[in-house]
Amino acid sequence: MAWIKPIRYDKKSKKSWLIRLIISGSAILLFILVYLVDSVILAKSDFLSSKDFLLVFFAVLSVAMYISVPVFVISLLKFIDSSMYLWRLKKNYFELPEDKKLYENDLNKLPRTNQAENMYARDSLVGGLLYILAYAGFVAADIYYVIKWTRLGETDAIVLFVFMMIVHLFFLIFGLYLFHQKDTTKYVDDVDLDAGRTRKTRMSIVRSITILVITSIISVMGVTTVFTMTKYIYKSRYGHYDKTLDGFKEKATMNINSEDLHEGVWSDRISNTDKGENLSPELSFDKVEGAEYYFIYMVDESANYWVHWVASDVREEELGTGANVKKYKDNSDFKYVGPYPPEGSGKHTYTIFVYAMKGKPDRDMELEFDEKSLSPDYMYYDYLNISKSGDPNEYGNVIAYGYISGIYSR
């Protein structure tokens, strides 16, 4: 039986891939245009945007979009591959086939005007270099990953680092495989005739780049997922992920006392009612070694963390009753308004948190006062404890914290 080397593409197949490319590309473009028109123009008209046929039309286009995108990508790759293949046939002096069936799909039967061989051996060198560069890029990302996260105490990152390094060996191995195909004594181009069938067909540059793009996209998604997963684990340990206020309170280590709290009930004089004087409570708490200052945060836990006291620059461990109208009267960083629960609303829980800080939080935040704001644990995780900018933020700006809680009603 005669040896047959198949013709991979002809003019007819190239044209068919071009038609698929145009149709799928047009469908994608139509979807984008309809989306823009609907969001920019039709959204302004309740009459037009509410018509059923528009909704059905948009739904059909959405389904077509999911089908068109993969068809577009495959058609684009196939069109490029077929174009390059036919171009190489022409460079190798072959007559370009209109329909490969006319030649029984046999390259040996395709007319040619001259002889040429291994004109594209250099493509293997180019492809190999691209894979080596991709390998170097992913290794750099892997090293950055392990250095970044082990420095932040995530020793589990070493396991994922090793795994990623093993996976990314694919690029190195494939690159070496392409380098090996430079050898013209063992490989020929896919547009070469090898009557003795002693050599293998080398991979074309288009195919090697296509594989590189696909595997690179998968690898980028993998690296991104690993970074995101490690960040989630990191924040679940030090940040607010999967945390509760009760769990946060259980880890409090500072002792806090107040002469204005009697048997769990706050004194009238700290309230902002007809019985009260709107005086900030007396407070005394542990001195924390290394603390530059203390941050005081008082909220009504029964009213969605309504903020009653924000003192962001306290340098002492004892505050007398009414510090807001005495020592800190003119201090813009010391804001206090006493409890004023609505009459008949029952007992409200007012809790004062004191945070011992290394320094000013690195994250800018507009502190809300006398309105609903962050819960004390979120204030800690998302603002106070952040000591260094970056992604992720580093934690450790709060050395210690404590709280004291009581009720008040009228």
Side-chain angles (χ1 to χ4, degrees):
M1 184 178 177
W3 170 64
I4 296 176
K5 184 162 188 177
I7 302 173
R8 290 182 53 221
Y9 297 103
D10 53 28
K11 290 182 178 180
K12 183 179 178 181
S13 59
K14 175 186 173 182
K15 185 178 180 180
S16 67
W17 285 117
L18 177 60
I19 292 172
R20 292 186 185 97
L21 181 64
I22 292 173
I23 293 174
S24 58
S26 299
I28 294 172
L29 181 61
L30 180 61
F31 174 86
I32 294 173
L33 289 175
V34 171
Y35 177 80
L36 291 176
V37 169
D38 182 64
S39 59
V40 175
I41 300 175
L42 299 182
K44 297 179 181 179
S45 171
D46 293 335
F47 174 73
L48 288 175
S49 61
S50 64
K51 283 194 175 291
D52 291 340
F53 80 90
L54 284 176
L55 296 176
V56 173
F57 182 57
F58 193 76
V60 171
L61 277 180
S62 299
V63 174
M65 181 73 169
Y66 284 107
I67 299 174
S68 298
V69 170
V71 171
F72 178 83
V73 173
I74 294 172
S75 300
L76 177 62
L77 295 175
K78 284 290 188 178
F79 177 72
I80 294 173
D81 195 26
S82 60
S83 298
M84 290 294 293
Y85 178 78
L86 293 176
W87 178 80
R88 291 197 306 273
L89 277 180
K90 185 177 181 180
K91 293 287 287 185
N92 276 39
Y93 307 105
F94 282 100
E95 179 182 307
L96 297 186
E98 191 69 38
D99 187 345
K100 58 186 179 180
K101 290 180 181 179
L102 298 176
Y103 304 95
E104 299 178 2
N105 198 25
D106 187 355
L107 189 63
N108 292 283
K109 296 182 179 181
L110 192 64
R112 68 189 305 186
T113 58
N114 206 342
Q115 298 291 321
E117 190 178 83
N118 278 315
M119 295 180 65
Y120 311 106
R122 193 175 64 175
D123 288 356
S124 297
L125 174 63
V126 174
L129 287 174
L130 290 175
Y131 275 85
I132 296 300
L133 287 174
Y135 174 70
F138 283 113
V139 167
D142 296 343
I143 293 173
Y144 171 72
Y145 164 81
V146 73
I147 291 176
K148 178 176 186 176
W149 290 106
T150 52
R151 182 173 58 85
L152 292 171
E154 294 298 324
T155 54
D156 293 342
I158 297 174
V159 176
L160 289 173
F161 165 74
V162 173
F163 174 76
M164 288 193 298
M165 287 290 290
I166 292 173
V167 171
H168 293 150
L169 276 175
F170 163 80
F171 294 96
L172 176 61
I173 294 171
F174 207 89
L176 295 176
Y177 167 71
L178 290 176
F179 280 139
H180 181 65
Q181 291 189 0
K182 292 186 304 175
D183 189 349
T184 56
T185 64
K186 296 181 179 180
Y187 291 89
V188 292
D189 298 324
D190 56 354
V191 292
D192 286 338
L193 296 176
D194 184 26
R197 289 182 289 172
T198 57
R199 293 174 288 179
K200 300 177 181 178
T201 301
R202 70 169 49 87
M203 183 176 292
S204 69
I205 188 67
V206 176
R207 286 195 170 188
S208 61
I209 291 178
T210 299
I211 295 172
L212 175 62
V213 170
I214 294 173
T215 52
S216 294
I217 291 173
I218 294 172
S219 294
V220 168
M221 292 172 62
V223 170
T224 303
T225 300
V226 169
F227 265 89
T228 302
M229 181 174 65
T230 308
K231 181 177 179 179
Y232 179 87
I233 294 172
Y234 176 73
K235 286 205 168 187
S236 70
R237 290 175 177 167
Y238 306 105
H240 68 264
Y241 291 176
D242 301 326
K243 298 294 197 304
T244 64
L245 181 57
D246 290 338
F248 175 71
K249 288 180 176 179
E250 289 175 0
K251 295 181 180 179
T253 56
M254 287 177 63
N255 294 311
I256 302 175
N257 297 289
S258 176
E259 294 178 356
D260 289 304
L261 184 65
H262 306 285
E263 298 181 353
V265 179
W266 289 110
S267 170
D268 281 328
R269 63 179 178 172
I270 76 162
S271 72
N272 188 30
T273 64
D274 52 356
K275 294 182 180 180
E277 302 174 54
N278 200 35
L279 301 176
S280 59
E282 187 274 339
L283 276 186
S284 61
F285 44 86
D286 296 337
K287 179 179 177 63
V288 178
E289 190 67 31
E292 180 182 329
Y293 69 97
Y294 301 94
F295 184 98
I296 298 174
Y297 190 57
M298 178 180 178
V299 295
D300 181 350
E301 293 190 51
S302 304
N304 259 345
Y305 310 112
W306 195 272
V307 181
H308 286 269
W309 192 0
V310 176
S312 58
D313 193 12
V314 175
R315 309 276 175 162
E316 54 192 327
E317 290 78 35
E318 293 186 9
L319 295 174
T321 302
N324 61 316
V325 296
K326 297 176 183 177
K327 184 173 182 178
Y328 292 90
K329 179 181 179 180
D330 299 319
N331 191 327
S332 60
D333 294 325
F334 197 102
K335 301 175 183 178
Y336 178 83
V337 59
Y340 54 94
E343 293 186 18
S345 61
K347 297 177 180 178
H348 284 233
T349 300
Y350 295 87
T351 306
I352 301 173
F353 285 81
V354 179
Y355 307 85
M357 310 286 294
K358 283 183 181 178
K360 291 288 184 183
D362 199 49
R363 176 179 173 185
D364 293 331
M365 180 177 177
E366 189 69 31
L367 295 176
E368 297 173 354
F369 174 69
D370 199 20
E371 59 182 286
K372 183 175 69 174
S373 187
L374 295 177
S375 64
D377 51 336
Y378 269 60
M379 176 64 76
Y380 167 81
Y381 291 127
D382 288 357
Y383 175 62
L384 298 178
N385 201 31
I386 297 174
S387 58
K388 187 174 182 180
S389 292
D391 186 16
N393 297 309
E394 292 184 15
Y395 296 92
N397 198 38
V398 178
I399 305 173
Y401 64 88
Y403 71 96
I404 186 171
S405 188
I407 61 172
Y408 187 81
S409 63
R410 60 172 177 157

